[in-house]
Amino acid sequence: MGAEVKGLSLAANTTPALFEQLDLAQNLSHHIGDIREAELVARLIASWQPNVIFHLAAQ
């Protein structure tokens, strides 16, 4: 639908990871990191300038 998707997540703890199996890296921009690092999150949000944020870290 034309959305530009970006994500922040911890490194996958499984091999292979579903992210890799679905080859999602080709469809979105992602950064490996921890949302508990406020400075990292602030920097990414400032550079990405998102219209909408989905917080799914509890998943």
Side-chain angles (χ1 to χ4, degrees):
M1 297 181 74
E4 184 178 333
V5 178
K6 299 181 184 280
L8 168 65
S9 70
L10 295 172
N13 62 358
T14 60
T15 303
L18 187 57
F19 184 85
E20 294 166 352
Q21 289 178 318
L22 296 176
D23 199 22
L24 293 178
Q26 72 175 358
N27 297 318
L28 58 97
S29 173
H30 70 287
H31 184 90
I32 301 298
D34 192 327
I35 66 159
R36 296 173 291 184
E37 296 178 31
E39 192 173 299
L40 169 65
V41 174
R43 188 177 71 237
L44 290 174
I45 289 173
S47 70
W48 292 343
Q49 299 182 11
N51 293 322
V52 176
I53 296 175
F54 291 96
H55 182 307
L56 303 173
Q59 297 299 314

